[in-house]
Amino acid sequence: MEGRAAGGDYIASLLSSAPRLDLGVLGMLDGAAAGADGGDDCLERFCGDPGFAERAARLSSFSGQRFAGAGAGAAGLFGLPAPAPPAASNGEFAGSREASSVSDPASAMRDANAKKRKAPAAAKGKGKESSSQAGEQKDPDTKRCKTTEGGEGKKEEGSVKPKSEQAGSDSSVEDGGQKPPGKGKNAKPVEPPKDYVHVRARRGQATDSHSLAERVRRERISQRMKVLQDLVPGCNKVIGKALMLDEIINYVQSLQRQVEFLSMKLATVNPLDFSNLPTLLQKDMFQACGPSASSVFSLESSSSGFPFSDQGDVFQSFVSNALENQCSLNPLDLALSQATNAQYAFQDGTAGTNLQQRNFWEEDLQNVFHIDNGQQSQENGVSAQSFHGQLQAGHMKMEF
Amino acid sequence: MSSSSSSSSSSSQAMPGSKKFRHTFLKNLLRGLRKGGAAAASSRAMSLDERRIAVRRAADAALATARGAAPRWSRSLAAELSQGRLRPRRDDAQPAASSSSGCKPPPASKMMLRRIPRRGRRLIRARPKSKATASDLARVMARKRARALREIVPGGRGMDECTLLGETLDYAVSLKAQIEAMQLLLRTLIQAPK
């Protein structure tokens, strides 16, 4: 669970910035991508968000909360008693609200609902349910999202009354939360995030537990699809879940084929020896790396204490690195760009003395092999069966 | 709370976009290559195919270890590797290799989890097909794609669609980082004699 939460933090932080990208941004992406390579400009725009890194940094602290709450939230929604908590807001959106200066339309909408939460009557809820059931389907098609957003901006049903309004409203209700209308008021006070996930029901939607949970699930899926869309080159041109999944599948398959091909190439390298690799590096770098090699080792052994609160920096570097990865053909350029990230102190220290990109990368490779040569004598002779267990054990060893 | 959850995570946690990931991956790859006998120091004469498989497994293991135990795909990839199963790749003529290394059937829990989508599929088919509305078609198409994605992403069998997408994202980024690291290694190795 912890492992999952840890991985989920990363994704959640990536996703928490996604709500900011509404269709307008995607349209801009489309326009920008028309005249240039598809993926590169898109990621540039995506990462060119000024508040992205900041948001990601702050969100990392919320994301742990979110996952703890998501499990309880599902249970909480189902068994929630009649009086709904007044200041209900989705944990992740609360985080995004606090982090970004520009108010998230989704969160602003939820803020607006907080005031009117007590107003709507149960009868109105039932009436809306019956009207909403007609002709609404399960698929989160974006087209349908837009068409059913006719009643947006007005007051909404808020209370979560699962038992009372479960009048056969098991049929799913259209999810209008994907691209919520931007008519939310900005000046709402920030509500403290609760300990479980609160979801607002929109106008014209059922408020029973099942559809709410489904809506949460659908929103999550759509968020991830958005992030994937930005990642996979050429995916922003297609709209629709199936087509996007097609692109994603093609992309992952091509990546796997590339790995296969590269491993074949590596196998054909006949004198596969790693001893002459350090000789590629310049002598002065060799000496400069001497003291830093031990620091690399200590850094990696202490990476178990790598706190997740630093994940903001990691995301920042991840984002910029991913951006560079897509843009630059020459990985030395990447090394130079990475040199500008304040990621690891020792790297910065040695990078500052470097004048050229090539030296920086070679020093990096040098560090790798320096450690590796040192470890040649120590063979980790652990069996393959313990591989999985070793991963969990918190110590990095590689066995076969 | 997030820091407590992270402190118990494995030490090999590294985001795929970072340089540390590349460090770790290359280090693991070299160790794995030496162990797998693909390196020149090994006296055993391996055929090209054997070497390719060994390199492939070393690369997969290095990736899974470098990524850590946080994402589900890395754990399941590591488990597959330790089982000795080779992930079905472009060569389908690998029955000898995979069976001789003693591949076990997938765990029973995964079989049961696989049954769930199958049951859903059967239900859809059992309904009398009155009108193939566009939404029905879209749903079927999306299901097919999701199934295909499950086959591709390691450990995708036991995931719901939501986590599947998240894992795909992480997996794609890690693969990209792996590819770049391997390309760099190749470039360095090939340029060496010159």
Side-chain angles (χ1 to χ4, degrees), chain A residues 2-4 6-7 9-11 14 60-61 64-65 137 139 144 217 220-221 224-225 227-228 231 241-242 245-246 248-249 251-253 255-256 258-260 262-274 276-277 280 296 300 303-304 306-308 311 314-315 317-318 321 325-326 329-331 334-335 338 343-344 347 360-361 364-365 367-369 371-373 375-376 379-382 384-385 387-388 391-392 394-400, chain B residues 1-3 5-13 15-20 22-24 26-36 38-41 48 51-52 55-62 64-65 67-72 74-75 78-79 81-82 87 89-90 104 135-136 138-139 141-142 145-146 148-149 152-154 161-163 165-173 175-176 178-180 182-193:
Chain A
E2 286 151 336
R4 184 169 187 269
D9 288 351
Y10 157 60
I11 292 175
L14 269 186
S60 60
S61 56
Q65 210 176 10
Q137 313 233 356
D139 283 344
R144 230 175 291 122
R217 174 187 151 265
R220 256 185 235 157
I221 288 181
R224 291 178 188 199
M225 291 289 264
V227 182
L228 273 169
L231 178 79
K241 199 163 163 182
L245 282 177
D246 258 351
I248 292 165
I249 288 171
Y251 182 63
V252 174
Q253 271 177 338
L255 286 181
Q256 283 175 338
Q258 254 182 307
V259 170
E260 186 76 22
L262 283 174
S263 68
M264 166 66 98
K265 268 185 88 174
L266 261 179
T268 62
V269 172
N270 207 357
L272 191 64
D273 49 352
F274 311 129
N276 56 347
L277 275 160
L280 294 175
V296 169
E300 303 224 296
S303 58
S304 56
F306 192 68
F308 258 74
Q311 233 181 6
V314 178
F315 289 144
S317 57
F318 161 70
N321 289 341
N325 285 348
Q326 294 229 352
L329 300 169
N330 188 4
L334 170 63
Q338 284 173 342
Q343 202 175 359
Y344 301 105
Q347 278 189 2
F360 190 75
W361 161 248
D364 223 23
L365 200 53
N367 287 343
V368 173
F369 293 116
I371 299 167
D372 204 51
N373 292 335
Q375 281 185 352
Q376 264 181 9
E379 287 290 335
N380 305 315
V382 189
Q385 275 69 29
F387 187 60
H388 186 62
L391 268 187
Q392 313 283 350
H395 192 70
M396 187 179 68
K397 278 196 171 119
M398 200 185 62
E399 302 89 22
F400 269 106
Chain B
M1 61 208 84
S2 49
S3 55
S5 71
S6 70
S7 60
S8 53
S9 66
S10 73
S11 65
S12 51
Q13 183 94 23
M15 291 308 152
S18 67
K19 186 174 279 197
K20 181 185 176 199
R22 186 181 286 193
H23 256 269
T24 314
L26 281 172
K27 195 163 57 159
N28 294 344
L29 180 60
L30 295 173
R31 277 159 66 177
L33 285 176
R34 278 207 192 83
K35 272 200 180 171
L48 184 64
R51 285 184 67 173
R52 176 176 59 82
V55 171
R56 178 70 210 269
R57 290 181 70 193
D60 282 346
T65 315
R67 187 59 189 90
R72 196 174 296 205
S74 74
R75 279 175 274 156
L81 277 172
S82 62
R87 283 180 55 78
R89 280 308 121 214
R90 56 180 190 90
K104 305 176 199 165
S135 58
D136 290 342
R139 198 180 318 148
M141 279 167 64
R145 266 59 161 198
L149 195 55
I152 289 174
V153 174
E161 196 162 325
C162 187
T163 49
L165 288 178
E167 295 286 321
T168 309
L169 171 71
D170 194 274
Y171 184 55
V173 171
L175 275 184
K176 195 94 175 54
Q178 177 189 23
I179 286 171
E180 283 172 3
M182 285 173 74
Q183 279 172 340
L184 207 49
L185 179 64
L186 262 178
R187 210 170 300 147
T188 318
L189 280 175
I190 291 178
Q191 274 176 358

Side-chain angles (χ1 to χ4, degrees), chain A residues 158-224:
Chain A
S159 55
V160 178
K161 292 177 187 157
K163 303 304 174 196
S164 60
E165 290 163 4
Q166 222 168 20
S169 59
D170 276 345
S171 72
S172 56
V173 175
E174 183 47 46
D175 159 39
Q178 187 176 0
K179 312 272 194 289
K183 296 194 183 141
K185 297 155 192 142
N186 293 350
K188 292 305 171 193
V190 171
E191 295 165 356
K194 295 298 177 184
D195 51 343
Y196 47 92
V197 172
H198 293 257
V199 183
R200 295 303 164 92
R202 311 211 164 271
R203 177 186 170 88
Q205 291 180 358
T207 56
D208 65 328
S209 57
H210 288 301
S211 44
L212 275 171
E214 277 166 15
R215 187 149 55 93
V216 167
R217 174 187 151 265
R218 246 181 280 130
E219 277 172 1
R220 256 185 235 157
I221 288 181
S222 63
Q223 274 173 4
R224 291 178 188 199

Side-chain angles (χ1 to χ4, degrees), chain A residues 45-351:
Chain A
R45 307 266 175 201
F46 178 71
C47 310
D49 270 345
F52 179 84
E54 190 182 301
R55 231 178 309 118
R58 294 189 206 172
L59 282 166
S60 60
S61 56
F62 283 107
S63 50
Q65 210 176 10
R66 175 186 111 100
F67 260 77
L77 284 176
F78 283 118
L80 204 56
S89 62
N90 203 349
E92 50 180 336
F93 288 102
S96 70
R97 221 186 308 125
E98 283 180 331
S100 58
S101 50
V102 178
S103 75
D104 189 8
S107 57
M109 182 58 102
R110 289 187 168 86
D111 278 340
N113 301 339
K115 305 294 178 179
K116 296 153 184 162
R117 185 164 248 278
K118 297 163 189 156
K124 211 177 289 179
K126 284 200 178 109
K128 289 300 164 233
E129 272 176 20
S130 51
S131 65
S132 65
Q133 278 173 27
E136 285 190 336
Q137 313 233 356
K138 211 169 205 171
D139 283 344
D141 242 352
T142 52
K143 302 176 201 157
R144 230 175 291 122
C145 264
K146 292 178 209 163
T147 55
T148 54
E149 270 174 7
E152 99 275 18
K154 299 148 197 165
K155 66 170 176 170
E156 306 186 349
E157 328 294 329
S159 55
V160 178
K161 292 177 187 157
K163 303 304 174 196
S164 60
E165 290 163 4
Q166 222 168 20
S169 59
D170 276 345
S171 72
S172 56
V173 175
E174 183 47 46
D175 159 39
Q178 187 176 0
K179 312 272 194 289
K183 296 194 183 141
K185 297 155 192 142
N186 293 350
K188 292 305 171 193
V190 171
E191 295 165 356
K194 295 298 177 184
D195 51 343
Y196 47 92
V197 172
H198 293 257
V199 183
R200 295 303 164 92
R202 311 211 164 271
R203 177 186 170 88
Q205 291 180 358
T207 56
D208 65 328
S209 57
H210 288 301
S211 44
L212 275 171
E214 277 166 15
R215 187 149 55 93
V216 167
R217 174 187 151 265
R218 246 181 280 130
E219 277 172 1
R220 256 185 235 157
I221 288 181
S222 63
Q223 274 173 4
R224 291 178 188 199
M225 291 289 264
K226 255 187 277 181
V227 182
L228 273 169
Q229 206 174 21
D230 293 321
L231 178 79
V232 175
C235 209
N236 50 350
K237 300 189 178 72
V238 293
I239 296 182
K241 199 163 163 182
L243 293 173
M244 277 207 297
L245 282 177
D246 258 351
E247 287 297 318
I248 292 165
I249 288 171
N250 283 341
Y251 182 63
V252 174
Q253 271 177 338
S254 76
L255 286 181
Q256 283 175 338
R257 264 182 267 131
Q258 254 182 307
V259 170
E260 186 76 22
F261 173 69
L262 283 174
S263 68
M264 166 66 98
K265 268 185 88 174
L266 261 179
T268 62
V269 172
N270 207 357
L272 191 64
D273 49 352
F274 311 129
S275 52
N276 56 347
L277 275 160
T279 63
L280 294 175
L281 315 173
Q282 302 191 359
K283 304 292 180 183
D284 47 353
M285 286 308 116
F286 195 91
Q287 280 136 22
C289 301
S292 63
S294 53
S295 57
V296 169
F297 206 77
S298 62
L299 181 72
E300 303 224 296
S301 59
S302 69
S303 58
S304 56
F306 192 68
F308 258 74
S309 54
D310 279 349
Q311 233 181 6
D313 297 334
V314 178
F315 289 144
Q316 185 177 13
S317 57
F318 161 70
V319 157
S320 52
N321 289 341
L323 139 75
E324 296 296 339
N325 285 348
Q326 294 229 352
C327 296
S328 65
L329 300 169
N330 188 4
L332 302 179
D333 296 329
L334 170 63
L336 181 64
S337 63
Q338 284 173 342
T340 62
N341 292 340
Q343 202 175 359
Y344 301 105
F346 84 98
Q347 278 189 2
D348 281 345
T350 49

